[in-house]
Amino acid sequence: MDSKKETKTFGDQTVEFQISEWVTPSGKDGFYFTVIEGPDFGRVFLLEQPETIVGRSDEADIQVDDEKVSRKHLKISLSKSSINGDTLVIVSDLNSKNGIFVNGVRTLQQQLRNGDKIKIGDTILKFETKDLLDVHYHDKLYRQATRDPLTGLANRSYFQNEIQKTFSIASRHNRVFSIMMMDIDFFKKINDTFGHDVGDNVLRKVADILMKHLRAHDVAARYGGEEFIILLPETPLSGALTVAERIRLAVEAFNFEIVGCSRKVTVSSGIADYPACAKEPDELIKRADEALYQAKTSGRNRVCTAPQLAY
């Protein structure tokens, strides 16, 4: 890759570095942003590219769901210094409306140092150099805070945060998304007949089947007991119905004897989409739950859809 030398002044320091050439600080270290305040609190983002764009746009490398953040708010550049070979991390404002603040001071461009805090809108990112052990430890804590320990799916708190972010984007850009509520039929009988260990196995296997039929950006969570909730961004009711039917058929076809349950396992689902079925996230979940109740009371092992709003 071709590179060129460039000189930058940061405060009273002038540094010469080469554009488009960079390395990580050492074999097992890396540069990271940790969200210490804002909607994605606790997330860690690895800076892997020579340039990383942070902003509210779907096209940003690090997307921040914050109304005060511009679509493309700032750029992070990693460059190798021609003086001592160190990697320089440069933050640059991309003509954002509300600016960027490093350690409380507004700046247009600045070299970052370990521990610096970058504020954009109501979001604060902490810049850190971490080794892999640090990252793995943080990831473990983050998973414990956001994941259901039995199924590995997202927990209810994480899901609530994700649906708020999806709703914010959908309402701004006139997009659709769907919610699916899913429940294992007669789960109490499974526990009573085969024991709770087998019941746990069934929960884990249903969660596995569920995840195999979802996209990477869909969000599945254990909502409570044997109930699951799924967020399907950019998906209308018709698309959600297709997904729900595939999952229902896959669960029905699976032989649960391999996990200790000799009775047939089925699921019922209810789906609702924004904005056709509801205008607010809580109302949308309620409509999907009502559709699930309809599926349960009308015979189980089926999918029901919520009615559309009258205009």
Side-chain angles (χ1 to χ4, degrees):
M1 181 183 292
D2 295 335
S3 62
K4 63 179 181 179
K5 292 183 179 180
E6 186 168 314
T7 300
K8 291 288 184 182
T9 301
F10 307 101
D12 58 358
Q13 181 185 17
T14 300
V15 179
E16 184 182 66
F17 59 91
Q18 293 184 211
I19 302 296
S20 301
E21 183 181 348
W22 65 279
V23 294
T24 52
S26 67
K28 64 175 183 178
D29 293 341
F31 296 118
Y32 299 86
F33 272 149
T34 302
V35 182
I36 61 173
E37 187 169 316
D40 286 312
F41 177 78
R43 291 292 303 276
V44 178
F45 299 97
L46 171 64
L47 302 178
E48 298 181 283
Q49 304 297 328
E51 291 186 347
T52 300
I53 304 299
V54 181
R56 190 162 43 84
S57 169
D58 293 345
E59 299 174 357
D61 301 303
I62 297 177
Q63 188 177 3
V64 179
D65 184 40
D66 184 329
E67 290 288 350
K68 297 179 182 178
V69 171
S70 298
R71 292 181 56 78
K72 293 186 178 180
H73 199 103
L74 63 86
K75 177 177 68 175
I76 304 294
S77 304
L78 305 183
S79 302
K80 182 179 177 182
S81 171
S82 61
I83 297 176
N84 54 20
D86 288 345
T87 301
L88 306 179
V89 183
I90 314 298
V91 59
S92 305
D93 192 342
L94 296 178
N95 297 314
S96 64
K97 180 179 179 180
N98 295 313
I100 60 176
F101 297 79
V102 178
N103 300 326
V105 179
R106 186 163 185 167
T107 184
L108 294 178
Q109 188 176 69
Q110 184 169 329
Q111 180 181 351
L112 295 179
R113 303 189 183 280
N114 192 33
D116 280 350
K117 298 178 181 64
I118 302 93
K119 187 174 188 296
I120 53 174
D122 293 325
T123 299
I124 299 178
L125 306 164
K126 185 178 182 181
F127 171 72
E128 296 175 286
T129 301
K130 297 182 177 183
D131 64 27
L132 292 180
L133 287 177
D134 288 334
V135 176
H136 290 162
Y137 173 71
H138 190 282
D139 284 346
K140 185 176 181 179
L141 292 179
Y142 183 73
R143 285 188 63 83
Q144 289 176 345
T146 60
R147 296 285 154 180
D148 171 58
L150 177 63
T151 63
L153 300 179
N155 60 24
R156 190 165 180 164
S157 176
Y158 179 87
F159 183 88
Q160 291 289 353
N161 184 52
E162 289 301 301
I163 193 175
Q164 288 295 336
K165 290 195 295 183
T166 301
F167 169 72
S168 179
I169 293 171
S171 60
R172 282 199 306 265
H173 302 293
N174 295 318
R175 297 177 181 174
V176 301
F177 69 94
S178 291
I179 293 295
M180 176 168 59
M181 299 287 290
M182 190 180 82
D183 185 271
I184 300 176
D185 297 326
F186 300 112
F187 186 71
K188 185 178 184 302
K189 289 186 179 179
I190 294 174
N191 275 335
D192 291 345
T193 304
F194 304 102
H196 289 276
D197 288 345
V198 172
D200 288 349
N201 291 339
V202 170
L203 280 168
R204 281 191 286 261
K205 180 51 64 176
V206 170
D208 289 343
I209 295 171
L210 175 61
M211 290 305 297
K212 287 177 182 177
H213 289 82
L214 297 180
R215 302 164 297 183
H217 61 280
D218 296 331
V219 180
R222 186 180 178 194
Y223 207 60
E226 70 274 23
E227 193 172 43
F228 303 90
I229 187 167
I230 300 94
L231 170 64
L232 301 166
E234 307 285 349
T235 306
L237 200 66
S238 58
L241 180 59
T242 299
V243 174
E245 275 294 326
R246 286 175 181 168
I247 293 170
R248 185 189 68 79
L249 291 171
V251 173
E252 184 181 32
F254 187 80
N255 180 10
F256 281 85
E257 287 189 13
I258 65 174
V259 297
C261 179
S262 58
R263 72 173 286 140
K264 192 175 186 66
V265 177
T266 61
V267 295
S268 299
S269 298
I271 53 178
D273 73 344
Y274 169 89
C277 299
K279 298 296 187 182
E280 298 292 335
D282 289 346
E283 192 67 18
L284 190 65
I285 293 173
K286 181 180 178 182
R287 294 289 174 258
D289 195 43
E290 290 171 349
L292 170 60
Y293 180 76
Q294 180 185 353
K296 301 288 278 188
T297 56
S298 60
R300 294 181 171 84
N301 190 24
R302 63 191 61 200
V303 180
C304 289
T305 59
Q308 295 190 346
L309 295 173
Y311 291 94

